[in-house]
Amino acid sequence: MKRLLMIAFYAVAIISMVMAQDDLIMKVDQQGKVGFVDKKGTVVFNYIFTGAFPFSKGYAQVFKEEKTGFINTHGVVTVPIIYDNIELWSDNIYKVKIKTSFGLLKADGTIVLPVKYSNISAPNIYGKAWIALGGKVVTGTDKKNVIAGCKYGIIDNSGNILIQPEYKGLFEFARKWKFNEIPYGEALSPLWGQKATSDTLLSNCEYMSFSKDPNSCLNGGLLNNKGEELIKMGVYSFIVKPQSDMVRYYIWGSKQTQCGYYNLITKKDFLATTINQYINDIKFITHMDYLGNITPVNNNGQSWSIIDKSGNTINSGVESVTKGEISKAWAFCKNDTWKAYNWQGEKILGDKNYEGIIFPLTEDNKDVYVIKENGKWGTVDKEGKQLIPCTYEQASAPSYGWIIVKKDGKYGVIDINNKSIIPREYENIISNTYKYPDCMWVMKDSLWYNYNIVSQSISEDGYKVVVSNFDNGYSLVQPNNMTVGETVLSRSMLELPSLNIGKDDKFNNSQNAFGFVIGKDNKQYISLPVTMNLYEKVVEYIKKNNNQPLDQSQSRRLLLSLTKKSRSYPLTDKITDDNWDY
Amino acid sequence: MNTLKILPILLTTIIVSSTATAQNNDNTMKYRRSSLYSLMVNHTDQQFASEIKEAFIGMPIPDKYNDHDLSVKILTLDKKLLNVSSNEENNTISSFLKNNDIGSRLVAKWFDRDYISGVCDMNLVKERGLYNASTFDQILAEKSERSQALIMDAGEDLIGNTFVIVNDIRYVDKSKGSATVGSILKILGKVAAEYSGNSTYSDLGNNLGDIAATLKGFKVKINTFLYKLDWNKAISMSFYKDQYCATSDTTKKQTFENARNNYKLMYIGKQESSGSTTSFIGIKENEPVVMVRKACQRAVDENIANLQHNFDAFRTKSPLASIDPITAYVGLKEGISKNSRFEVLEKQEKEDGSFIYKRVGIIEPIESMIWDNRYMAAEECAPNATIGATTFKKISGGDFFPGMLIREIDNK
């Protein structure tokens, strides 16, 4: 019993202490000055402040005329009231300003960064921010506010300096190139250009490029996230973000481009290929990133070689290359024969030579590979063991465990165990984009029908065009021979001037832009045709309406409301009723 | 001491502590608002007409009002509006409202009247009136004096507080005969595309300078005309008796159509914006339509605030956000200054389900603690842009409680 009483006593005491931190109450006197009293009304701070925010976590921000600082609940000014501005920067850290300089501190007065920086950006979602030292704010030639003549650095969201502010040019690897984009292919290159003062970083700053020019990353070097110099400036013309400890580089002149790699572990580089063209004239992907131990390198646009991290050629004369993102594998075609390797360079799918390889699209069937043998398609596992015999004329990549297959000229859907989901009776099928859909679109007699997988039946109505596979529960469809009347409303859905009815051909040429919204139950959910650009908003409204179909009146009102901005009327006109929702 | 008795005290303590700093956002607080329909007159003879229209469409109905917009928002005029500077009722504007039966359409919206069948319902009245839905239906079904009182309450405090503002927006052209360079968006769209490459900026030449100079001094002059729906006892009785139908009724439907002209809008007054230049701070150069939106939004808000100062009927109520200190979600956007005064109102529900508001005190804002809640105040780093509410001091009255409302009264 005594022990329980002691526990209760200390618990109340702790809770009281916690409460005491927020116990000061802000009061205002007749002159409009602010002070603080405790719960008993005893003045803890006199009415000397011109403004204040309420206490939070034991501190309150206060103002004296134009200056601001912090006080605590014990009558102490913890942060002197000398700052021009204080704003919350990250968790318990505040960004403070005196004239044109910034710093970071905590409400208890702990200095995190002294007030000497010309800019401190807000932290990004990765908890990284950039800082600038020196220079001054100018409006650049592109009319942005930037810090001219400064040096950049990087901090984390606790205010720790990761990269000292010593670099005139400091760039993230945030410029994305797509898989087929020439000449770099899939890559992250430095994002050049000065940052506006309000910009935040875009990446986690795992690596940064640096140079002498704030507007150019050419001839830049490489830093890691501790600020250590990995590659000096001026060694390479251009680099992309390291992958698997390998840095892809370019050295270009007016008539030649050298393509190679720098190994961050061995600290050695090697030349992979030389192309007798200036970089901007190259019309193919030069060499790719290492995603493991191997990578493809292009031989002047003629063929590919596959090399390891020391630059040794493992395979040459490769005609085609595909990448499996989910399987973390490559597939190479040489002499019409396909082979697959994981990113470490180990052969997968057994020792066979295939006529085709298709990688899975989704994580849940990442070890199911669609392959072609003897002119037919089937599936194997990673070791090459047969899962589904090669009996199909065509097969799609596995998507959420389902594969679209063709046999005897007809399409159907099977699962990865070769069990029929949709019988092979159709001219075409649209692939599922989510797991276990209730229905999918199938084509019969050149029209699309909604196939209900549960009841194994298709809808009565077929459509000429369908958009979306009921991802959001609905689809936009176009019946065969659909004609949309030219009205104020239908014109405004196309953003055509409503007063030009019958005066131009623009409406008639846009009939294909319309469709009806139907649900999985094949019912029409809005009584009027809508255009693709309004489809999402209409679905959003239907869902807010408890997924009930809209009647004629509701449909008309909704569409009139959504097209308000497309319709304008002379002030002197009487506007006809078909323009009004009420 | 019995062990079990200790725990409730601790729990109570914890609960009190955890709710001490809870705050509500104005938008989630439920209180009766006036309803507003806002239109613009777009001057197609002017530069930036398209951008101004875009900006206006993007402006929501202010959160102190219920959105009572109809499906027509944009009116066009290819010359200056006749007599726009006069404070008298503008014939062109009033004729538009009359000829297009705006009054009847606002009433139809209140009752969600189906344009095909004429069927009406009271759902919007119940929702905006914050009535208990089932009690409301029950009292109405009685067809008693209580029912009448409820209808009168809904009429006076809700339907009768429906307003229309027509904003005549003109761009103040500061150019001195320089060549028209076309749509802002087209020019700067081209510039933005060039930014993404590695070209230098110096070859953009003078076009950007012209546009930027124009935008930097971007001004609009807005005349806002204010009208109020005339909803009196006679109109109300006629509507409920002969035109309101909960099920399809051809006769009642036709009666409403024939009576559209009877629903009128009363002219209240007009406000012209000060035409001050809006600063460019906080706006990126490749987002010019933001500049146009900022200028238009600030001017419309200024006009609405001034109309509220000048016309009692248009004044809005706002809830107290906290009572110690006294704060509310109003600020410079509502035209608050150190000279503003507000009455504190307590809502009281009568037996018949209707409401009255009783004054229980007067408060004034503290000059250094007026919230700058104007559009984009935070982006331009305006002082007090981030304080979130205005703090007041009590001038007179007793204790205030959460849920009380404030409404501006005439300055001291």
Side-chain angles (χ1 to χ4, degrees), chain A residues 50 52 569 571 575 579 582, chain B residues 71 76 100 105 112 285 368-369:
Chain A
T50 50
Y569 308 86
L571 178 58
I575 303 169
N579 293 276
Y582 286 100
Chain B
S71 56
T76 58
N100 287 282
R105 301 189 194 279
D112 201 22
E285 310 298 320
S368 64
M369 299 186 76

Side-chain angles (χ1 to χ4, degrees), chain A residues 32-289:
Chain A
K33 288 286 175 74
V34 178
F36 291 88
V37 302
D38 64 18
K39 277 192 120 177
K40 292 177 190 167
T42 307
V43 174
V44 178
F45 278 98
N46 281 322
Y47 295 85
I48 56 169
F49 304 114
T50 50
F53 293 147
F55 269 85
S56 173
K57 297 180 185 175
Y59 298 94
Q61 187 178 349
V62 294
F63 298 81
K64 267 189 183 176
E65 305 303 332
E66 304 296 322
K67 302 293 183 184
T68 182
F70 276 99
I71 58 173
N72 68 12
T73 55
H74 303 297
V76 175
V77 176
T78 52
V79 171
I81 308 171
I82 59 169
Y83 296 97
D84 296 324
N85 193 49
I86 294 180
E87 60 188 57
L88 188 63
W89 182 78
S90 165
D91 286 340
N92 294 322
I93 298 177
Y94 293 85
K95 181 172 152 186
V96 295
K97 182 182 178 189
I98 296 179
K99 290 188 182 172
T100 56
S101 296
F102 297 90
L104 298 175
L105 51 74
K106 297 185 180 180
D108 64 5
T110 307
I111 302 290
V112 176
L113 282 182
V115 178
K116 66 175 191 179
Y117 295 93
S118 40
N119 196 59
I120 301 177
S121 78
N124 68 4
I125 56 167
Y126 302 102
K128 303 292 189 299
W130 61 272
I131 52 174
L133 195 60
K136 64 174 188 172
V137 176
V138 296
T139 305
T141 50
D142 59 352
K143 308 300 179 187
K144 293 183 200 175
N145 279 346
V146 297
I147 319 274
C150 70
K151 293 191 178 172
Y152 295 96
I154 303 291
I155 59 174
D156 65 16
N157 58 2
S158 297
N160 300 312
I161 296 181
L162 303 176
I163 296 177
Q164 290 291 338
E166 296 170 346
Y167 301 96
K168 287 184 180 175
L170 189 63
F171 315 105
E172 304 173 84
F173 288 95
R175 199 294 197 195
K176 284 186 187 170
W177 298 80
K178 295 178 196 164
F179 186 70
N180 289 325
E181 200 171 349
I182 52 174
Y184 304 116
E186 193 168 43
L188 285 170
S189 70
L191 189 64
W192 61 86
Q194 286 181 300
K195 291 197 177 298
T197 50
S198 55
D199 284 347
T200 54
L201 292 170
L202 300 171
S203 71
N204 65 358
C205 304
E206 187 187 359
Y207 294 100
M208 300 288 287
S209 174
F210 68 98
S211 76
K212 288 182 183 173
D213 184 348
N215 284 311
S216 174
C217 61
L218 297 182
N219 302 308
L222 181 70
L223 300 171
N224 66 11
N225 58 9
K226 297 188 184 92
E228 293 163 340
E229 194 175 282
L230 303 177
I231 296 176
K232 290 186 186 313
M233 278 193 301
V235 177
Y236 306 115
S237 304
F238 190 69
I239 56 175
V240 298
K241 185 179 177 185
Q243 301 288 346
S244 301
D245 299 317
M246 300 294 286
V247 182
R248 190 167 18 132
Y249 74 74
Y250 297 79
I251 300 173
W252 57 64
S254 59
K255 290 180 183 173
Q256 189 184 78
T257 299
Q258 294 179 324
C259 307
Y261 297 91
Y262 178 84
N263 188 318
L264 290 174
I265 305 295
T266 64
K267 297 185 173 43
K268 289 180 181 170
D269 66 13
F270 61 86
L271 183 65
T273 185
T274 300
I275 300 165
N276 295 322
Q277 286 178 289
Y278 173 53
I279 182 70
N280 280 357
D281 296 330
I282 297 174
K283 301 298 178 203
F284 49 83
I285 296 167
T286 56
H287 52 318
M288 297 196 191
D289 284 328

Side-chain angles (χ1 to χ4, degrees), chain A residues 1 4-5 8 11-12 15-16 18-19 22 25-32 34 50-55 63 139 141-144 175 192-193 196 198-199 215 280 551-554 556-557 560-561 563-577 579-582, chain B residues 1-3 6 9-10 13-14 16-17 21 37 41 53-54 57 67 69-77 81 92-93 96 99-102 105 108-109 112-116 195-198 201-202 208-209 212 216 257 260 284-285 324-325 366 368-369 384 386-387 391-393:
Chain A
M1 179 58 70
L4 281 169
L5 282 170
V12 171
I15 290 166
S16 300
V18 169
M19 285 187 64
D22 289 337
I25 300 160
M26 186 166 63
K27 290 284 187 191
V28 180
D29 70 6
Q30 298 258 342
Q31 283 72 45
V34 178
T50 50
F53 293 147
F55 269 85
F63 298 81
T139 305
T141 50
D142 59 352
K143 308 300 179 187
K144 293 183 200 175
R175 199 294 197 195
W192 61 86
S198 55
D199 284 347
N215 284 311
N280 280 357
D551 64 26
Q552 179 89 352
S553 219
Q554 288 170 315
R556 183 174 161 279
R557 268 208 298 276
L560 280 170
S561 175
T563 56
K564 267 188 281 210
K565 72 171 192 172
S566 307
R567 286 176 289 106
S568 52
Y569 308 86
L571 178 58
T572 49
D573 273 13
K574 174 153 168 59
I575 303 169
T576 54
D577 279 343
N579 293 276
W580 294 99
D581 46 357
Y582 286 100
Chain B
M1 192 189 296
N2 188 313
T3 311
I6 299 174
I9 298 170
L10 295 180
T13 306
I14 291 165
V16 166
S17 170
T21 56
Y37 170 33
V41 177
K53 184 186 84 168
E54 285 292 321
I57 284 287
D67 182 344
D69 266 351
L70 297 173
S71 56
V72 170
K73 289 280 283 181
I74 310 289
L75 307 171
T76 58
L77 194 61
L81 178 65
T92 312
I93 303 275
F96 170 82
N99 294 340
N100 287 282
D101 301 319
I102 302 298
R105 301 189 194 279
K109 180 159 182 156
D112 201 22
R113 184 176 178 272
D114 186 304
Y115 92 106
I116 297 174
Y195 280 13
S196 62
N198 53 3
Y201 306 142
S202 58
L208 182 60
K216 279 196 165 158
E257 294 299 332
R260 280 194 182 270
K284 293 184 181 178
E285 310 298 320
D324 199 0
I366 297 172
S368 64
M369 299 186 76
N384 283 0
T386 55
I387 60 175
T391 304
F392 295 81
K393 58 185 181 199

Side-chain angles (χ1 to χ4, degrees), chain A residues 11 94 115 196 218 323 345 351 359 391 401 427 432 526 537 568:
Chain A
Y94 293 85
V115 178
L218 297 182
K323 187 176 82 161
D351 278 326
F359 290 117
T391 59
E427 293 151 28
N432 56 315
I526 183 165
K537 287 194 176 143
S568 52

Side-chain angles (χ1 to χ4, degrees), chain B residues 290-335:
Chain B
V290 176
M291 180 71 219
V292 178
R293 165 81 188 266
K294 188 178 176 185
C296 291
Q297 183 79 66
R298 290 270 178 112
V300 167
D301 287 343
E302 178 194 319
N303 281 1
I304 289 177
N306 284 326
L307 285 167
Q308 289 175 359
H309 288 320
N310 297 330
F311 302 105
D312 286 358
F314 195 50
R315 286 183 188 169
T316 53
K317 304 187 234 354
S318 297
L320 287 176
S322 65
I323 52 170
D324 199 0
I326 303 169
T327 63
Y329 299 120
V330 291
L332 292 184
K333 189 174 98 169
E334 285 78 23

Side-chain angles (χ1 to χ4, degrees), chain B residues 96-289:
Chain B
F96 170 82
L97 297 174
K98 179 169 179 259
N99 294 340
N100 287 282
D101 301 319
I102 302 298
S104 68
R105 301 189 194 279
L106 297 172
V107 170
K109 180 159 182 156
W110 267 109
F111 298 96
D112 201 22
R113 184 176 178 272
D114 186 304
Y115 92 106
I116 297 174
S117 64
V119 168
C120 306
D121 64 53
M122 300 287 279
N123 291 335
L124 191 61
V125 172
K126 282 187 260 184
E127 180 192 316
R128 289 185 182 175
L130 305 174
Y131 296 108
N132 177 294
S134 50
T135 309
F136 185 93
D137 289 338
Q138 179 196 326
I139 293 175
L140 217 60
E142 289 169 4
K143 291 188 170 45
S144 61
E145 275 186 23
R146 278 209 313 171
S147 317
Q148 284 301 315
L150 200 60
I151 292 211
M152 288 305 298
D153 173 66
E156 282 172 20
D157 206 33
L158 290 174
I159 302 170
N161 277 332
T162 304
F163 295 90
V164 178
I165 52 171
V166 181
N167 301 280
D168 178 88
I169 305 180
R170 282 188 74 80
Y171 163 62
V172 178
D173 191 348
K174 292 178 71 184
S175 66
K176 292 186 171 64
S178 60
T180 303
V181 290
S183 148
I184 303 173
L185 294 174
K186 211 183 342 179
I187 294 292
L188 288 181
K190 174 175 172 271
V191 168
E194 289 181 353
Y195 280 13
S196 62
N198 53 3
S199 60
T200 56
Y201 306 142
S202 58
D203 59 354
L204 293 174
N206 291 325
N207 277 350
L208 182 60
D210 284 346
I211 293 288
T214 307
L215 288 176
K216 279 196 165 158
F218 194 86
K219 279 190 188 185
V220 286
K221 181 77 90 173
I222 303 186
N223 282 284
T224 302
F225 299 87
L226 174 65
Y227 293 78
K228 186 171 187 278
L229 179 65
D230 185 10
W231 183 260
N232 56 46
K233 192 172 176 180
I235 293 172
S236 161
M237 282 185 62
S238 167
F239 173 77
Y240 285 115
K241 181 166 167 283
D242 302 322
Q243 297 159 40
Y244 179 103
C245 49
T247 55
S248 188
D249 185 322
T250 317
T251 307
K252 288 194 173 182
K253 180 191 168 210
Q254 197 54 51
T255 307
F256 179 85
E257 294 299 332
N258 295 341
R260 280 194 182 270
N261 274 337
N262 296 345
Y263 296 98
K264 297 186 193 311
L265 292 169
M266 296 182 299
Y267 175 67
I268 302 294
K270 188 210 101 167
Q271 183 66 43
E272 182 177 290
S273 63
S274 64
S276 54
T277 306
T278 310
S279 91
F280 214 4
I281 299 172
I283 295 175
K284 293 184 181 178
E285 310 298 320
N286 59 351
E287 296 173 336
V289 74

